[in-house]
Amino acid sequence: MSSANHLPFDKATKAGFIIALGIVYGDIGTSPLYTMQSLVENQGGLRQVSESFIIGSVSLIFWTLTLITTIKYVWIALKADNHHEGGIFSLYTLVRKMSPWLIVPAMIGGATLLSDGALTPAMTVTSAIEGLKAVPGISAIYQNQTNVIVTTLLILLTLFGIQRFGTGFIGKLFGPVMFIWFSFLGLTGLFNSFGHLAIFKAINPYYAIHLLLSPENHRGIFILGSIFLATTGAEALYSDMGHVGRSNIYVSWPFVKACILLSYCGQGAWILANKHSGIDLNPFFASVPENFRVYAVILATLAAIIASQALITGSFTLVSEAMRLKIFPLFRVTYPGANLGQLYIPVINWALFLITSSTVLYFRSSEHMEAAYGLAITITMLMTTVLLNYFLIKRGTSSILAHLLMSFFALIEFIFFWASAVKFLRGGYVVVLIALAIIFLMFIWHQGTRIVFKYVKSLDLMDYKDQIKALRDDERIDFYQTNVVYLTNRIRDNLIDRSILYSILDKRPKRAQVYWFVNVKVTDEPYTAKYKIDMLGTDYMVKVELFLGFRMPQSVPRYLRTIVQDLMESGRLPKQVQDYSITPGRTVGDFKFVIIEERVSNARKLSGFERFIMQTKASIKHFTATPMRWFGLQYSEVAVEVVPLILSDILKLPIKEYVPAIESDTSAKK
């Protein structure tokens, strides 16, 4: 459990306030770097904007942050915590029993969130480095965009490279740095706002509606594609709830929102005061006095790195939860920090780096990246709205009220999606293709699991108890191991996979002192670690159900060590005295873990679709973590046995012996 997780979930603290700034608001806190720039450029440049356009734009930003971020996410979504954890997969676990089809919005939302997260580091870091174009003395160097790209890639390489070492030390700096960043946004924004106080009229929603309907707005409804950039971090805010606690978000959000809005007001006021100057710079950096721009760039770069760091670790958490839900391939997970809150998935880390760096090289500038940014996250928000609708009903809200409320948000988000859809041909197809690839991966994994459950046959352990006892006592059979452990994710009552009993009794009779059948069940709680034992009235068969939280490592040997000691101390399991051991008085024998892998053979019973799913899943498995790594068996004795998914496919086929015809004497004479 991370140190942040020790914070009181429903009690705000000063430390929690600072930690929340560093963890939760990185994405939404860097939006002032590029949102206003996008609005101005899409209107045709500084000379094409008017007072009504700028005030209307800031008004749209204000009400977007109020309706989407404040009301939907801070007021409503934060109440949908799964044992203090947030995010779309945690929300799904709260409602999944209400309808089987809810896995669909969960998978779509998770995939689009991951794809958009891959673009965010590229967008934020590039925007920050481009600020060097406004710094006297070095601006000439960074007028060449290639230098911006090289610097961005070096920062990203360093950022992704340090993930394997853990980020605990760096994480302690995030909160104070982001506090300085938000204070900088608020103070510079307030200072610039004094140059055109009319900008504060933006709080009136009239100006937002007027701009949407005004012919002066060159893009019409599609201006919302740029406005939406201001709230893309709302989903990350919900996902990071478990790290800082709900109350700390409640307390810190007003400060963050005020600073962000002041920054937008200040940029808007500066634009109105300088629209005829011909300055071709990002309004955020241009509105900062020249003597302070280098500090603004340094601060912006640090904020961009922190935002990227939050999205990288958020992606690890998202993938980890998807793996526990069995909708994502198993990849090796390590815990580089001193707590479970810091996890690292090498494959995901370097896949993100490859996608992020490729994005930088492909789009080359933040202006072009903006064309792709935000499209996927609108889909994530829509999927979250669908799941929130079910959550409100489950919580006791009137179904009519829940439908009306969520329909309101769905309508707003659909308009944002429609406005952002124009980005598809301008670069949005990149994140959409990434999201589709992730959805395909999830679909294959989810369907493959369902197919296995459909065809795998089960047998009752009690029907074979006598055979297993006879095998245990049969000295004609060579002793296989003191403890034989079978790992399976399919145990229901006393029913167990037929392939496991086939392995014990038929494939090679395995004579052991104790037979273990271990089933790991992932709970909806993040940090559960419990077990349930059923010895079936024997002292040689142990059925173990391990209940592990979705953030707990599934290191089976370590848990079994504790369980064996408990059983021996309670007298339910005889001590296994070892005559030969470097450990004096050792009373626990050796273990051998047997992993059964089902493979598709001819699979005549499978349909063409099912065969495609299983064969594709088998191909993907070449790149995933082996069961040995996943269950922490690297240093244990392990046997992997491959069995056909459908046992009937190995039964005998009809065939006749070939008997050569006997030539007649007559034909021989001839």
Side-chain angles (χ1 to χ4, degrees):
M1 188 180 301
S2 71
S3 58
N5 280 328
H6 293 295
L7 295 170
F9 185 72
D10 285 317
K11 182 180 178 181
T13 64
K14 291 180 181 179
F17 176 88
I18 296 297
I19 291 173
L21 294 181
I23 293 178
V24 175
Y25 302 112
D27 192 2
I28 204 166
T30 51
S31 59
L33 285 173
Y34 43 76
T35 302
M36 193 60 74
Q37 179 186 27
S38 172
L39 287 163
V40 171
E41 288 176 347
N42 284 309
Q43 184 69 3
L46 282 178
R47 296 181 183 276
Q48 301 300 316
V49 301
S50 64
E51 180 175 303
S52 61
F53 176 84
I54 293 299
I55 294 176
S57 296
V58 175
S59 184
L60 283 168
I61 291 172
F62 174 84
W63 287 103
T64 297
L65 287 172
T66 299
L67 293 174
I68 299 297
T69 312
T70 303
I71 297 178
K72 178 190 169 183
Y73 281 95
V74 176
W75 288 7
I76 299 176
L78 290 190
K79 291 181 174 62
D81 69 287
N82 175 31
H83 298 273
H84 300 174
E85 295 294 325
I88 193 162
F89 286 139
S90 291
L91 177 58
Y92 165 68
T93 60
L94 291 173
V95 299
R96 59 179 171 178
K97 293 180 181 179
M98 297 180 69
S99 177
W101 79 273
L102 290 177
I103 187 67
V104 175
M107 288 168 60
I108 294 173
T112 49
L113 185 59
L114 273 174
S115 66
D116 208 75
L119 181 60
T120 298
M123 178 75 174
T124 54
V125 176
T126 303
S127 297
I129 298 303
E130 285 177 344
L132 292 171
K133 295 179 179 181
V135 177
I138 59 173
S139 59
I141 297 174
Y142 285 93
Q143 291 302 325
N144 184 343
Q145 190 65 21
T146 300
N147 293 332
V148 173
I149 293 171
V150 171
T151 305
T152 299
L153 290 177
L154 288 174
I155 291 173
L156 290 174
L157 178 62
T158 303
L159 180 62
F160 283 97
I162 65 174
Q163 297 303 312
R164 60 179 298 192
F165 302 110
T167 55
F169 173 73
I170 300 174
K172 294 177 183 177
L173 302 176
F174 285 2
V177 169
M178 290 305 288
F179 177 77
I180 295 171
W181 168 250
F182 284 118
S183 300
F184 175 78
L185 290 181
L187 291 173
T188 55
L190 182 62
F191 176 79
N192 282 307
S193 297
F194 290 144
H196 200 93
L197 289 174
I199 195 69
F200 290 113
K201 293 192 294 185
I203 197 172
N204 188 338
Y206 163 80
Y207 295 98
I209 298 170
H210 179 267
L211 179 62
L212 285 177
L213 302 177
S214 172
E216 182 185 2
N217 171 17
H218 296 171
R219 298 185 66 205
I221 192 70
F222 295 107
I223 193 176
L224 293 177
S226 295
I227 296 295
F228 186 74
L229 297 176
T231 191
T232 52
E235 193 72 36
L237 179 151
Y238 175 42
S239 298
D240 289 326
M241 172 173 56
H243 293 288
V244 300
R246 178 167 50 215
S247 293
N248 287 311
I249 296 179
Y250 285 160
V251 171
S252 57
W253 171 240
F255 167 73
V256 171
K257 182 181 178 182
C259 292
I260 291 174
L261 287 175
L262 283 173
S263 179
Y264 286 122
C265 287
Q267 290 183 58
W270 180 90
I271 289 169
L272 293 177
N274 296 272
K275 66 177 185 176
H276 298 298
S277 65
I279 298 175
D280 185 23
L281 291 175
N282 183 329
F284 175 82
F285 292 106
S287 63
V288 177
E290 284 191 3
N291 294 336
F292 293 96
R293 283 180 189 169
V294 65
Y295 304 109
V297 173
I298 293 172
L299 260 181
T301 303
L302 289 174
I305 290 172
I306 291 170
S308 302
Q309 174 63 48
L311 283 160
I312 293 168
T313 53
S315 297
F316 294 158
T317 300
L318 197 68
V319 169
S320 176
E321 292 174 0
M323 289 191 292
R324 311 295 188 200
L325 291 169
K326 296 182 174 60
I327 57 174
F328 208 82
L330 302 180
F331 293 113
R332 182 167 65 92
V333 180
T334 62
Y335 299 87
N339 51 66
L340 295 178
Q342 292 185 39
L343 54 84
Y344 171 64
I345 307 177
V347 171
I348 301 301
N349 183 68
W350 294 112
L352 282 173
F353 171 72
L354 181 63
I355 295 170
T356 302
S357 56
S358 298
T359 299
V360 173
L361 292 170
Y362 180 71
F363 287 107
R364 292 188 61 82
S365 71
S366 62
E367 177 187 352
H368 293 146
M369 290 179 204
E370 178 274 321
Y373 194 52
L375 174 58
I377 207 69
T378 58
I379 301 174
T380 305
M381 287 186 171
L382 278 167
M383 298 303 104
T384 299
T385 299
V386 172
L387 296 175
L388 277 175
N389 180 63
Y390 281 82
F391 169 76
L392 290 176
I393 294 172
K394 180 183 178 183
R395 198 181 179 194
T397 305
S398 163
S399 59
I400 295 176
L401 179 60
H403 291 329
L404 286 174
L405 184 61
M406 289 301 111
S407 294
F408 170 72
F409 288 115
L411 176 62
I412 294 174
E413 288 160 356
F414 182 78
I415 293 173
F416 275 119
F417 168 73
W418 182 254
S420 300
V422 71
K423 296 181 177 184
F424 182 81
L425 294 178
R426 295 166 50 203
Y429 60 86
V430 172
V431 287
V432 171
L433 289 175
I434 296 170
L436 287 174
I438 298 171
I439 291 171
F440 175 76
L441 196 62
M442 289 180 173
F443 176 77
I444 291 293
W445 217 253
H446 178 63
Q447 288 297 315
T449 302
R450 291 185 63 184
I451 291 169
V452 169
F453 272 86
K454 176 181 176 182
Y455 286 103
V456 166
K457 302 301 180 184
S458 298
L459 297 173
D460 193 326
L461 270 172
M462 299 301 289
D463 294 340
Y464 297 88
K465 186 166 71 171
D466 293 339
Q467 277 200 61
I468 292 176
K469 185 179 188 307
L471 173 61
R472 174 182 181 251
D473 298 333
D474 191 346
E475 295 184 358
R476 296 174 301 168
I477 306 295
D478 291 338
F479 198 70
Y480 186 74
Q481 206 84 8
T482 306
N483 299 278
V484 177
V485 184
Y486 283 88
L487 299 172
T488 175
N489 57 4
R490 294 179 294 271
I491 291 182
R492 184 168 53 88
D493 297 325
N494 291 331
L495 296 177
I496 197 166
D497 291 358
R498 177 182 176 182
S499 56
I500 291 177
L501 288 170
Y502 178 82
S503 170
I504 295 173
L505 301 172
D506 294 82
K507 190 163 189 176
R508 175 191 170 185
K510 296 176 176 61
R511 180 172 167 238
Q513 190 169 333
V514 182
Y515 298 87
W516 299 77
F517 308 99
V518 179
N519 175 219
V520 178
K521 292 185 176 179
V522 180
T523 67
D524 291 344
E525 298 87 355
Y527 298 106
T528 303
K530 298 180 180 179
Y531 70 88
K532 181 180 177 183
I533 291 291
D534 184 357
M535 300 188 68
L536 305 170
T538 74
D539 62 354
Y540 56 88
M541 292 169 62
V542 186
K543 186 166 62 118
V544 182
E545 289 180 283
L546 277 176
F547 299 94
L548 302 177
F550 59 80
R551 286 197 174 178
M552 293 294 286
Q554 296 189 7
S555 302
V556 173
R558 296 170 65 185
Y559 294 119
L560 273 185
R561 212 170 292 142
T562 301
I563 294 171
V564 170
Q565 294 289 350
D566 289 350
L567 291 177
M568 288 183 176
E569 288 174 6
S570 64
R572 286 180 285 176
L573 192 69
K575 292 185 177 181
Q576 303 166 351
V577 179
Q578 302 296 295
D579 295 328
Y580 306 101
S581 173
I582 62 172
T583 306
R586 178 177 168 182
T587 57
V588 178
D590 50 1
F591 282 77
K592 188 158 192 174
F593 294 83
V594 181
I595 297 173
I596 306 293
E597 287 192 7
E598 294 98 354
R599 299 278 179 88
V600 176
S601 54
N602 294 328
R604 291 171 294 164
K605 290 185 178 180
L606 293 178
S607 66
F609 172 75
E610 291 174 331
R611 192 179 298 112
F612 167 76
I613 293 291
M614 296 305 297
Q615 289 173 344
T616 305
K617 185 174 182 178
S619 299
I620 295 171
K621 275 188 173 182
H622 291 301
F623 305 96
T624 64
T626 63
M628 286 178 58
R629 281 192 173 276
W630 182 253
F631 290 113
L633 307 178
Q634 301 96 310
Y635 307 109
S636 305
E637 283 197 62
V638 181
V640 178
E641 295 186 356
V642 179
V643 300
L645 176 62
I646 302 174
L647 289 177
S648 61
D649 284 335
I650 63 171
L651 298 179
K652 64 181 182 180
L653 295 173
I655 190 170
K656 294 181 179 180
E657 181 181 3
Y658 172 73
V659 180
I662 300 175
E663 295 181 337
S664 63
D665 292 340
T666 306
S667 59
K669 291 176 181 178
K670 291 180 180 179

mmCIF file of all heavy atoms in Angstrom, residues 19 21 81 87 102 179 183 195 198 219 229 241 277 381 531 535 608 646:
data_model
loop_
_atom_site.group_PDB
_atom_site.id
_atom_site.type_symbol
_atom_site.label_atom_id
_atom_site.label_comp_id
_atom_site.label_asym_id
_atom_site.label_seq_id
_atom_site.Cartn_x
_atom_site.Cartn_y
_atom_site.Cartn_z
ATOM 1 N N ILE A 19 0.030 16.554 -1.381
ATOM 2 C CA ILE A 19 0.179 15.325 -2.171
ATOM 3 C C ILE A 19 -0.832 15.293 -3.311
ATOM 4 O O ILE A 19 -0.523 14.878 -4.433
ATOM 5 C CB ILE A 19 0.018 14.086 -1.268
ATOM 6 C CG1 ILE A 19 1.206 13.984 -0.304
ATOM 7 C CG2 ILE A 19 -0.075 12.807 -2.090
ATOM 8 C CD1 ILE A 19 1.063 12.901 0.738
ATOM 9 N N LEU A 21 -2.050 17.803 -4.930
ATOM 10 C CA LEU A 21 -1.590 18.693 -6.000
ATOM 11 C C LEU A 21 -0.587 17.990 -6.898
ATOM 12 O O LEU A 21 -0.580 18.178 -8.122
ATOM 13 C CB LEU A 21 -0.956 19.956 -5.403
ATOM 14 C CG LEU A 21 -1.875 20.904 -4.618
ATOM 15 C CD1 LEU A 21 -1.084 22.110 -4.131
ATOM 16 C CD2 LEU A 21 -3.043 21.360 -5.474
ATOM 17 N N ASP A 81 -16.591 5.175 -5.025
ATOM 18 C CA ASP A 81 -15.277 4.602 -4.719
ATOM 19 C C ASP A 81 -15.432 3.131 -4.373
ATOM 20 O O ASP A 81 -16.358 2.737 -3.669
ATOM 21 C CB ASP A 81 -14.618 5.362 -3.568
ATOM 22 C CG ASP A 81 -15.325 5.137 -2.249
ATOM 23 O OD1 ASP A 81 -16.433 5.695 -2.069
ATOM 24 O OD2 ASP A 81 -14.796 4.406 -1.406
ATOM 25 N N GLY A 87 -11.583 5.283 -10.603
ATOM 26 C CA GLY A 87 -11.233 4.914 -11.969
ATOM 27 C C GLY A 87 -12.294 4.048 -12.599
ATOM 28 O O GLY A 87 -13.155 3.478 -11.924
ATOM 29 N N LEU A 102 -22.135 -4.632 -19.150
ATOM 30 C CA LEU A 102 -21.385 -3.475 -18.670
ATOM 31 C C LEU A 102 -19.878 -3.640 -18.868
ATOM 32 O O LEU A 102 -19.133 -2.668 -18.762
ATOM 33 C CB LEU A 102 -21.696 -3.230 -17.192
ATOM 34 C CG LEU A 102 -23.118 -2.726 -16.894
ATOM 35 C CD1 LEU A 102 -23.340 -2.592 -15.399
ATOM 36 C CD2 LEU A 102 -23.381 -1.403 -17.599
ATOM 37 N N PHE A 179 2.384 22.968 -6.264
ATOM 38 C CA PHE A 179 1.846 24.102 -5.506
ATOM 39 C C PHE A 179 2.420 25.413 -6.056
ATOM 40 O O PHE A 179 1.700 26.400 -6.245
ATOM 41 C CB PHE A 179 2.181 23.963 -4.019
ATOM 42 C CG PHE A 179 1.713 25.123 -3.184
ATOM 43 C CD1 PHE A 179 0.372 25.238 -2.834
ATOM 44 C CD2 PHE A 179 2.606 26.102 -2.770
ATOM 45 C CE1 PHE A 179 -0.071 26.321 -2.076
ATOM 46 C CE2 PHE A 179 2.177 27.185 -2.011
ATOM 47 C CZ PHE A 179 0.834 27.290 -1.664
ATOM 48 N N SER A 183 0.267 28.276 -8.040
ATOM 49 C CA SER A 183 0.367 29.648 -7.531
ATOM 50 C C SER A 183 0.851 30.580 -8.636
ATOM 51 O O SER A 183 0.358 31.714 -8.773
ATOM 52 C CB SER A 183 1.328 29.702 -6.336
ATOM 53 O OG SER A 183 0.871 28.870 -5.285
ATOM 54 N N GLY A 195 -5.186 44.091 -16.831
ATOM 55 C CA GLY A 195 -5.065 44.845 -18.080
ATOM 56 C C GLY A 195 -6.356 44.912 -18.874
ATOM 57 O O GLY A 195 -6.470 45.723 -19.804
ATOM 58 N N ALA A 198 -12.676 43.487 -18.094
ATOM 59 C CA ALA A 198 -13.920 42.984 -18.696
ATOM 60 C C ALA A 198 -13.882 41.473 -18.886
ATOM 61 O O ALA A 198 -14.931 40.837 -19.081
ATOM 62 C CB ALA A 198 -14.174 43.681 -20.036
ATOM 63 N N ARG A 219 -15.500 28.443 -36.294
ATOM 64 C CA ARG A 219 -15.610 26.980 -36.256
ATOM 65 C C ARG A 219 -16.966 26.487 -35.763
ATOM 66 O O ARG A 219 -17.217 25.286 -35.759
ATOM 67 C CB ARG A 219 -14.508 26.406 -35.358
ATOM 68 C CG ARG A 219 -13.103 26.709 -35.860
ATOM 69 C CD ARG A 219 -12.078 26.010 -35.010
ATOM 70 N NE ARG A 219 -12.177 24.565 -35.157
ATOM 71 C CZ ARG A 219 -11.781 23.695 -34.236
ATOM 72 N NH1 ARG A 219 -11.290 24.136 -33.095
ATOM 73 N NH2 ARG A 219 -11.898 22.399 -34.440
ATOM 74 N N LEU A 229 -10.120 20.622 -24.274
ATOM 75 C CA LEU A 229 -8.748 20.405 -23.798
ATOM 76 C C LEU A 229 -8.579 20.856 -22.353
ATOM 77 O O LEU A 229 -7.718 20.349 -21.636
ATOM 78 C CB LEU A 229 -7.758 21.168 -24.689
ATOM 79 C CG LEU A 229 -7.676 20.740 -26.162
ATOM 80 C CD1 LEU A 229 -6.731 21.662 -26.922
ATOM 81 C CD2 LEU A 229 -7.223 19.294 -26.278
ATOM 82 N N MET A 241 -8.090 8.969 -7.151
ATOM 83 C CA MET A 241 -8.713 9.182 -5.853
ATOM 84 C C MET A 241 -8.099 8.304 -4.765
ATOM 85 O O MET A 241 -7.886 8.741 -3.629
ATOM 86 C CB MET A 241 -10.217 8.915 -5.943
ATOM 87 C CG MET A 241 -10.925 8.916 -4.607
ATOM 88 S SD MET A 241 -12.718 8.816 -4.725
ATOM 89 C CE MET A 241 -12.941 7.330 -5.687
ATOM 90 N N SER A 277 -0.357 43.303 -32.088
ATOM 91 C CA SER A 277 1.104 43.396 -31.992
ATOM 92 C C SER A 277 1.823 42.515 -32.997
ATOM 93 O O SER A 277 3.004 42.715 -33.268
ATOM 94 C CB SER A 277 1.547 43.010 -30.574
ATOM 95 O OG SER A 277 1.238 41.638 -30.324
ATOM 96 N N MET A 381 -15.113 9.453 -21.127
ATOM 97 C CA MET A 381 -16.079 10.147 -20.272
ATOM 98 C C MET A 381 -17.497 9.643 -20.515
ATOM 99 O O MET A 381 -18.281 9.486 -19.573
ATOM 100 C CB MET A 381 -15.990 11.656 -20.499
ATOM 101 C CG MET A 381 -14.748 12.294 -19.919
ATOM 102 S SD MET A 381 -14.773 14.095 -20.072
ATOM 103 C CE MET A 381 -13.346 14.538 -19.073
ATOM 104 N N TYR A 531 -7.489 -16.264 3.144
ATOM 105 C CA TYR A 531 -7.593 -17.576 2.522
ATOM 106 C C TYR A 531 -8.676 -18.400 3.196
ATOM 107 O O TYR A 531 -9.054 -18.156 4.348
ATOM 108 C CB TYR A 531 -6.248 -18.319 2.542
ATOM 109 C CG TYR A 531 -5.787 -18.786 3.903
ATOM 110 C CD1 TYR A 531 -6.175 -20.036 4.407
ATOM 111 C CD2 TYR A 531 -4.936 -18.005 4.679
ATOM 112 C CE1 TYR A 531 -5.742 -20.477 5.648
ATOM 113 C CE2 TYR A 531 -4.496 -18.442 5.922
ATOM 114 C CZ TYR A 531 -4.901 -19.670 6.400
ATOM 115 O OH TYR A 531 -4.478 -20.109 7.627
ATOM 116 N N MET A 535 -10.291 -29.295 3.637
ATOM 117 C CA MET A 535 -9.447 -30.478 3.503
ATOM 118 C C MET A 535 -10.246 -31.717 3.140
ATOM 119 O O MET A 535 -9.709 -32.830 3.115
ATOM 120 C CB MET A 535 -8.641 -30.705 4.782
ATOM 121 C CG MET A 535 -7.723 -29.516 5.099
ATOM 122 S SD MET A 535 -6.571 -29.794 6.445
ATOM 123 C CE MET A 535 -5.500 -31.026 5.720
ATOM 124 N N GLY A 608 -15.684 -21.563 -36.050
ATOM 125 C CA GLY A 608 -14.583 -20.834 -36.669
ATOM 126 C C GLY A 608 -14.199 -19.605 -35.860
ATOM 127 O O GLY A 608 -13.013 -19.291 -35.696
ATOM 128 N N ILE A 646 -10.157 -29.448 -25.571
ATOM 129 C CA ILE A 646 -11.283 -30.380 -25.643
ATOM 130 C C ILE A 646 -10.718 -31.790 -25.703
ATOM 131 O O ILE A 646 -10.097 -32.181 -26.695
ATOM 132 C CB ILE A 646 -12.166 -30.089 -26.878
ATOM 133 C CG1 ILE A 646 -12.669 -28.649 -26.818
ATOM 134 C CG2 ILE A 646 -13.332 -31.060 -26.945
ATOM 135 C CD1 ILE A 646 -13.426 -28.215 -28.042
#
